[in-house]
Amino acid sequence: MTIAHTLGALSVMTGALLAAQAAQAQAQDNTFINPDWANSAWYLGAGVGQSRATIDEPRLRASLAANGETVTGFSKDQRDTGYKLFVGRQLNQYFAVEAGYFDLGKFDFRSTTSGNGVLNGQAAFRGVNLDLLGQLPLSQRLFLLGRVGMHYTKTNTEFSGNRLLGSTNTHASERKLNAKLGLGLEYKFSEALALRGEVERYRLNDAVGNRGDADLYSVSLVYKLGRPASATPAYQPAPEAAPVVAMPAPVIVAPPAPAPVSEKVSFASEALFDFDQSALKPQGKAALDQLLGQLTGMDLEVIVTVGHTDAVGPDTYNQKLSLRRAEAVKAYLVTQGVETNRVYTEGKGETQPVADNTSAAGRAQNRRVTVEVVGTKKVMR
């Protein structure tokens, strides 16, 4: 397959994947709300990049010298365009199995010898593979990838020129089972669509006894099949109801000092922030403005903002995200006139769920920010 045909095929597949993702994004919120599906889904992928192989120049020079030749020139092309197509099954959050087809391209050399001798060679590698893929989450979107597997590769080797080392076989092929390894990163645009950057090493044998490695540096698109169409039930904030404030009892002579009262309001994270972000959305600011408006007439003593997450993603990342969100709420309250030394923040991560994390509705309730206000009602005279 030529490079043009390879790139054309990959472009068609890439366009199809992006079109499918765009259509799906219109039908539902593009958030990470279906981990049970995502951790067991089938997926398709395609990648293209640069392949590199090592041509055994010392061995070729030695072979020519053994036949009485003196090498006067040697050039080689050890790079080409490679591609791969693959299908996989997610076993769980950390492991997947992939099967694929790959073409590493062609690599060639040209040597000249004394007496106007010429020896040209070209080797091409293509085959199928089966890999175990490990995925270590660095955040909810970014994953470290590692793979180990086997590949069954057909090698075609061709020679031309007037110095064929005594061999009349100008074309040879060999099929061989060998090992492969890989390392890379994956960034998830959504639960269904991801981008990978990888380097993979293939152990290879050519048809004339050479043994070595070829590397493929590739960028791939991965698309998971069958994403559920149902969206997560919205968990709306409840600032509309006025905080329940304990009013001091009517007095006849001298009113007692009003006792401090506490009111806690819980906001769904989706109402305040975009997915995996800690910057307040405009509607989030409006909800906090409404809460502050309901505190008119109260002498504030302290406000405590606490961030919570669901159980999707690494514990340490969720802890940091929950704290960033609590601090974002504090920062906004301060811009609205609340004294900074009266606002305290905490991040609880996924440690204090209020619902079951195994369901989408439960995870939505666990993604929240609570704002607790402690103060006293102003005495009207």
Side-chain angles (χ1 to χ4, degrees):
M1 181 179 287
T2 65
I3 294 176
H5 289 165
T6 299
L7 295 177
L10 292 177
S11 297
V12 171
M13 178 170 286
T14 300
L17 291 177
L18 291 175
Q21 176 63 20
Q24 193 173 43
Q26 293 177 354
Q28 62 184 38
D29 290 337
N30 192 16
T31 55
F32 289 58
I33 59 176
N34 301 295
D36 297 334
W37 163 79
N39 293 334
S40 60
W42 287 89
Y43 59 86
L44 300 174
V48 64
Q50 185 176 85
S51 54
R52 298 181 182 180
T54 301
I55 294 174
D56 194 351
E57 180 179 345
R59 181 178 182 275
L60 291 167
R61 285 179 175 271
S63 297
L64 289 167
N67 283 271
E69 304 288 343
T70 301
V71 178
T72 59
F74 196 98
S75 63
K76 52 190 175 182
D77 184 358
Q78 301 181 115
R79 300 184 181 186
D80 201 358
T81 298
Y83 74 93
K84 60 180 181 176
L85 305 172
F86 53 92
V87 59
R89 173 69 185 273
Q90 199 73 38
L91 302 178
N92 53 44
Q93 182 182 4
Y94 302 102
F95 293 100
V97 174
E98 281 187 10
Y101 171 82
F102 62 88
D103 188 332
L104 299 180
K106 297 179 180 180
F107 311 94
D108 52 60
F109 71 90
R110 175 181 175 83
S111 62
T112 57
T113 67
S114 56
N116 296 320
V118 175
L119 174 64
N120 301 320
Q122 183 180 82
F125 305 95
R126 63 182 63 180
V128 295
N129 64 280
L130 181 64
D131 298 344
L132 177 66
L133 183 68
Q135 301 162 303
L136 178 64
L138 303 178
S139 73
Q140 286 182 308
R141 292 186 184 271
L142 186 63
F143 285 69
L144 177 66
L145 304 180
R147 68 170 69 235
V148 59
M150 302 296 293
H151 65 97
Y152 185 69
T153 301
K154 179 182 179 181
T155 303
N156 290 317
T157 306
E158 297 181 354
F159 292 99
S160 62
N162 55 16
R163 295 292 188 272
L164 296 180
L165 305 179
S167 173
T168 58
N169 187 10
T170 61
H171 178 85
S173 65
E174 180 172 300
R175 293 173 172 84
K176 196 77 173 181
L177 184 67
N178 274 307
K180 68 184 291 279
L181 299 170
L183 190 66
L185 291 172
E186 177 177 283
Y187 182 81
K188 298 182 183 298
F189 297 111
S190 71
E191 282 183 322
L193 185 65
L195 180 70
R196 288 181 184 172
E198 291 185 276
V199 56
E200 297 167 90
R201 169 154 291 184
Y202 297 76
R203 189 65 171 166
L204 296 170
N205 297 76
D206 68 18
V208 292
N210 290 327
R211 182 174 175 85
D213 300 312
D215 297 328
L216 177 62
Y217 301 83
S218 64
V219 176
S220 305
L221 277 176
V222 183
Y223 184 71
K224 289 185 176 178
L225 305 174
R227 185 182 186 190
S230 59
T232 302
Y235 178 61
Q236 299 296 333
E240 296 182 359
V244 178
V245 180
M247 300 298 295
V251 294
I252 298 176
V253 182
V261 295
S262 174
E263 178 66 19
K264 181 183 291 187
V265 179
S266 181
F267 298 89
S269 290
E270 286 83 353
L272 301 180
F273 307 97
D274 287 326
F275 176 76
D276 200 28
Q277 300 296 316
S278 57
L280 278 167
K281 298 192 295 187
Q283 53 266 46
K285 295 178 180 180
L288 293 174
D289 288 341
Q290 187 175 3
L291 174 62
L292 289 173
Q294 294 169 357
L295 301 180
T296 303
M298 177 181 287
D299 287 325
L300 291 178
E301 293 186 9
V302 66
I303 297 178
V304 180
T305 67
V306 183
H308 303 266
T309 70
D310 60 23
V312 178
D315 297 351
T316 54
Y317 180 81
N318 287 337
Q319 168 65 29
K320 293 176 182 178
L321 177 62
S322 66
L323 181 58
R324 291 201 307 270
R325 287 179 166 178
E327 291 175 342
V329 172
K330 173 183 177 177
Y332 183 73
L333 295 177
V334 170
T335 65
Q336 300 306 300
V338 180
E339 297 178 22
T340 185
N341 60 353
R342 294 188 182 275
V343 186
Y344 296 87
T345 60
E346 292 183 74
K348 297 295 185 180
E350 58 190 68
T351 62
Q352 294 184 354
V354 295
D356 190 349
N357 271 306
T358 61
S359 68
R363 289 189 294 273
Q365 294 182 55
N366 292 332
R367 297 190 296 268
R368 67 196 191 279
V369 175
T370 62
V371 180
E372 184 174 6
V373 180
V374 179
T376 56
K377 187 70 176 179
K378 293 180 179 178
V379 177
M380 303 301 294
R381 297 183 183 277

